[in-house]
Amino acid sequence: PELSVYAMDTLMEALERQLAYFKQFSLILSTISLLVTFLLVAVVLTIGVGERRGEIAALRSMGFRRRSIQSMILSESAPLLAMSAVLGSALGWFLAGYLDRILTQSPSLPDGYHFFIPAWREIVLAVALSGAAGIVAALLPAIQAARIDIPRTLHEEVV
C-alpha cells in the first residue's frame, strides 16, 4: 500500500514544474544584469566626458565634426564592453558550475541531472544583449560630448 509506481517522464515533468522558479529567478537576474551594464557604462563614460570637456571643446574648435567626437566616445566604450563580456562570461561560467555542484548534491535528484548546462546559444545571446545595452548606454555621453557649447566650455577651462 505504500508503494507507488511512476513513469520517469512523469517524475521529470513534476521536477520541472517544481524548478520553474529557477527559470524566473534567472530571468530576473538577467534583467538586473542588463540594467547594471547600462548604468555602469553610462556613468563611466559620462564621467570621462565630463573630465575631458575642455579637450573635446578644443577638438571641436579645431574643426572636428560632431560625428567624429561621437565616434571617438563610442570607440572608447568598445574595450570596456569587450573586457566586461569576457570577465562576465568567465565569472558566470564559474558560478554556474559552483551552483550546479551544490544543487545536484540533493539525494532526491536522479543521476546526471544538472541545473546549469552550458548552452553556447544562450551565452552568445547574453553577451550580445549586454553589448547592445552597453552601446545604447554609450550613445548618451557621446551625444552629450558632441553637443558641448564650445565657447562657454573653453572660457570655463581657461578661467
Side-chain angles (χ1 to χ4, degrees):
E2 296 158 10
L3 183 63
S4 299
V5 177
Y6 295 99
M8 190 55 123
D9 292 340
T10 306
L11 288 175
M12 292 307 288
E13 286 175 13
L15 184 62
E16 288 291 331
R17 280 194 307 272
Q18 288 179 349
L19 298 176
Y21 74 93
F22 278 115
K23 291 180 182 179
Q24 293 172 347
F25 185 65
S26 69
L27 179 64
I28 291 168
L29 284 178
S30 299
T31 304
I32 291 171
S33 295
L34 284 175
L35 180 63
V36 167
T37 298
F38 178 84
L39 292 174
L40 282 175
V41 171
V43 166
V44 167
L45 289 177
T46 300
I47 290 171
V49 166
E51 290 176 349
R52 297 183 357 223
R53 287 176 56 86
E55 297 169 16
I56 294 169
L59 291 173
R60 289 277 292 128
S61 70
M62 291 188 302
F64 277 72
R65 295 185 176 159
R66 289 179 185 218
R67 289 277 182 206
S68 299
I69 300 297
Q70 288 174 341
S71 296
M72 181 181 71
I73 300 300
L74 288 174
S75 66
E76 289 175 2
S77 69
L80 176 66
L81 294 174
M83 287 187 309
S84 59
V86 170
L87 184 62
S89 297
L91 184 61
W93 189 282
F94 171 75
L95 288 175
Y98 179 71
L99 288 173
D100 190 60
R101 281 190 296 278
I102 291 172
L103 293 171
T104 55
Q105 290 177 355
S106 174
S108 61
L109 289 176
D111 287 338
Y113 191 85
H114 292 281
F115 290 88
F116 300 100
I117 300 170
W120 290 107
R121 190 184 80 161
E122 279 77 15
I123 293 170
V124 169
L125 179 64
V127 170
L129 285 174
S130 295
I135 290 169
V136 170
L139 285 173
L140 301 173
I143 292 170
Q144 177 189 15
R147 292 184 177 172
I148 286 178
D149 183 12
I150 300 168
R152 192 176 110 222
T153 303
L154 290 175
H155 176 73
E156 288 171 357
E157 290 296 320
V158 172
V159 176

